[in-house]
Each structure stands twice: as C-alpha cells, then as structure tokens.
Amino acid sequence: AETIRPLLRRMLPDAVFQTRPRLSTLSYSPPRKLGKLPRRSAVVVFSVREVYEVAERIRRERGGAALVFGALSPRTRNAQVGLYQAGDVDHLVATDAIGMGLNLDIDHVVFTGLTKFDGVGARALTPAEIGQIAGRAGRHVRDGRFGPTADLGPFPGGLVEAVEGHRFAPLRSLQWRSDDLDFFSPLALLASLEKAPTHPFLKRMRHADDHRALGLLVRDPATMELARGAAAVELLGEVCRVPDFQSVMSDGHAQLLARVYAFLRGPSGRIEEDFLARHLKDLDRTDGDVDTLLGRIAAIRTWTYISHRSAWIPDARFWQERTRAVEDRL
C-alpha cells in the first residue's frame, strides 16, 4: 500500500517500488436496507455474533448467505467462500477478515458499522482500513460499489472522497519485535522479547501470543525447573508458539502449554497418546449452540497445530487425520 512507502523508504533506501494501480472504479452507494441488497453483495460486520444475526436476516428476506470470519479455520472458510463463488448463495456476511487475502466476485460491499474491537478496546476504523475492505468490490476491470446500511446512515463526505480516490494518510509507525533472542534462561528470553526498537518509528509489539504465554509460564516453578540450558529454553519458546485460536490466552491455555512442555522434557520426549486422545474426545461432540461449536473448532485447530509437530508426538500422521476428522464434523 502507498501508506507504507515512506517508512519502507527510510528502512530500505535502495528498494525499488513497483506500482499496481486499480483498473476499475470504486464508487460510493447510498445507504441500503439489508432486505434490498443486490445480488453479489458482501455485508461487513465487526463481531461474530453479528455475523450470525445479519446472516439470519438475509436468509429470511433474501435467501442464502455464506459466512467468513477470522475464527473459522482456513478449510471451513474456503468451503464457505466456495458456496458464494459457485453462486449457490447470493450474499456473503463477513467480518473485516474479508479484507485480507480473499479475492471474490463481489459487486457491492455494505458496512453495518465503522468501529471494531482490536484486541485491546473498541476503536474507529481508519479510512485506509475502510478502503481495504471496500476494495473487495469490483475485480480487474469490473467496477465496484461500497456504502453503509440504512441503519448505519450515510458516510461522511471526506471519508467517501478518500476511499474513492484511494488517498490515505501515510503510516507513522510499524510494529516490531526483536530477533536477537537470549536462550540463557526463560527470564532472559522474556527480557530479550521486551527489548526496545532502535528506530523511533518502530513500536515494540506488545500482544503477541507467544510473548504473553511465556510471561505466564515463567511464573510456574515446575516449568522453570525443567527449562535449564539453552536447548530447553529454546524448546520452551517453541511450545509458547502453539497458537491460542480461542484468542483468550487464559490460564487454561497456559496450563496446557505447561503440560505439553513437561511431556517434551520427560523421558520419552513426546506427548503421551492418552493425553491426546482424552482432549480430542472432549472436543469430538457436535451438540451445543453456535458459540459452543466455534469454541470447539478453535480448540481443535490448536491440536491440529500440535499434531503437525511430528517430533512432539508418536504416529503424527494418525493424529493429523484424527484432528482433521473432528474439525470436519464440527
């Protein structure tokens, strides 16, 4: 994006920039009611609960709708995208996850709001973020439209001009974290992750899952006892990178990481199969409401990640197939 050019120029003064201009026109459309959306529309919301509420309204008033949001696994998301792309449904309901990595045949992007929760608190979307999402409308030389729902009301004129003209304020900072890691001890590793950047326009990344997980595990005496020596500390860092797809970084996730690490530092150097089987059995259930099912899908994705660390578990192929089957059912 042009917004990052000034900072990249400061970091990489000899870089060559190649521009790829948009070939179609993106135009503002006045507010529309959900029940009167044209075919090939995407409705953008900013919470999973709203995804389902809006999808239900569209299904009631306009027919089918596919769903896309960040909590879906890539395979589940791709299946939903396939429904929309094949024309089995005319509408797509999505969070701002639609703005990254998805190129769809969308003619019209409709916003239900202009604020989002960013992991810390609610904040207003920047014009550049709105432009990124709105830019899903249109493709190659086919023009696209964007606008609000009738409930949201008209966009401010300045915002419309910025999105239509692709004119956005340049970025002033970039997130950064150190790659100079110290494996002398868990506390030394934690301190190395908390180093300050060397340039004023770089801001230290403060909410990385592995960093937070390590901060919790250094308080566990049993883990600290096992993490002696550079190889053991490096392994602890790898375990901390096991994703928390439920995005809560709770004590429960930290306890899971501690158990995994204890197995890996044990005599066999692998996670016990009984431990794997017990956790997968708890997730292999399809009862419950949408939130319950989404929680299980997020949890099974964590186990899918672990199953692909073949040095950590016996018979990795078996457990990869097992976690995939559970996810398919969910």
Side-chain angles (χ1 to χ4, degrees):
E2 284 297 310
T3 52
I4 203 172
R5 183 193 289 256
L7 293 182
L8 286 180
R9 179 66 73 196
R10 291 175 67 180
M11 295 171 65
L12 305 167
D14 298 326
V16 175
F17 290 86
Q18 296 181 340
T19 301
R20 295 288 184 269
R22 184 183 175 101
L23 300 177
S24 59
T25 299
L26 184 62
S27 303
Y28 176 72
S29 178
R32 288 177 179 260
K33 294 182 178 180
L34 286 176
K36 295 186 178 180
L37 293 178
R39 293 181 68 253
R40 316 311 289 168
S41 291
V43 183
V44 179
V45 302
F46 294 95
S47 73
V48 172
R49 183 168 297 280
E50 194 178 3
V51 165
Y52 282 95
E53 291 172 353
V54 170
E56 183 58 31
R57 284 181 60 185
I58 290 176
R59 286 169 175 156
R60 207 166 46 236
E61 300 175 21
R62 301 288 292 165
L67 311 180
V68 171
F69 49 95
L72 294 181
S73 70
R75 288 172 47 245
T76 309
R77 181 196 65 192
N78 291 342
Q80 289 289 300
V81 167
L83 286 174
Y84 177 81
Q85 287 292 87
D88 295 334
V89 296
D90 289 333
H91 300 90
L92 184 70
V93 182
T95 62
D96 55 332
I98 194 178
M100 298 294 175
L102 288 177
N103 291 313
L104 304 169
D105 295 321
I106 297 171
D107 294 333
H108 193 166
V109 171
V110 182
F111 291 78
T112 63
L114 296 178
T115 60
K116 66 172 289 185
F117 180 78
D118 64 1
V120 179
R123 66 168 178 82
L125 293 167
T126 67
E129 289 173 321
I130 294 169
Q132 174 72 21
I133 298 166
R136 301 305 93 190
R139 196 167 184 185
H140 193 49
V141 296
R142 193 177 72 218
D143 294 340
R145 300 181 305 278
F146 72 98
T149 60
D151 291 339
L152 179 59
F155 284 176
L159 175 60
V160 172
E161 292 173 5
V163 175
E164 287 186 335
H166 311 293
R167 291 188 296 272
F168 307 114
L171 294 174
R172 298 189 176 199
S173 63
L174 296 173
Q175 287 196 334
W176 171 94
R177 64 186 260 163
S178 175
D179 64 351
D180 183 17
L181 303 180
D182 185 349
F183 297 110
F184 177 76
S185 70
L187 290 174
L189 177 58
L190 187 64
S192 64
L193 285 170
E194 294 175 350
K195 286 180 181 176
T198 55
H199 297 286
F201 60 86
L202 297 177
K203 306 298 181 185
R204 182 169 66 80
M205 188 174 180
R206 298 181 182 277
H207 303 291
D209 281 355
D210 62 335
H211 189 166
R212 288 192 291 172
L214 182 61
L216 293 172
L217 289 181
V218 296
R219 304 174 193 170
D220 178 35
T223 298
M224 291 292 282
E225 182 66 27
L226 292 171
R228 296 180 179 274
V233 176
E234 189 168 359
L235 177 61
L236 178 62
E238 292 178 14
V239 170
C240 287
R241 288 199 289 273
V242 171
D244 175 24
F245 286 109
Q246 292 176 290
S247 300
V248 293
M249 193 49 66
S250 63
D251 288 343
H253 185 73
Q255 290 167 8
L256 171 64
L257 299 184
R259 289 296 308 279
V260 168
Y261 185 66
F263 281 126
L264 299 180
R265 292 286 291 142
S268 70
R270 295 192 173 190
I271 302 170
E272 291 181 0
E273 290 195 287
D274 286 349
F275 182 77
L276 292 166
R278 186 166 64 252
H279 279 273
L280 265 60
K281 182 179 179 181
D282 290 341
L283 297 174
D284 195 6
R285 298 169 47 195
T286 56
D287 59 303
D289 58 16
V290 168
D291 287 340
T292 301
L293 292 172
L294 287 173
R296 291 188 192 130
I297 289 173
I300 198 62
R301 290 180 67 196
T302 294
W303 289 105
T304 297
Y305 177 94
I306 290 173
S307 75
H308 281 80
R309 299 303 301 260
S310 56
W312 291 7
I313 59 176
D315 198 357
R317 178 61 63 84
F318 169 81
W319 291 106
Q320 289 164 17
E321 293 174 352
R322 180 90 168 82
T323 56
R324 179 174 181 141
V326 172
E327 184 182 330
D328 283 344
R329 280 189 287 278
L330 292 169

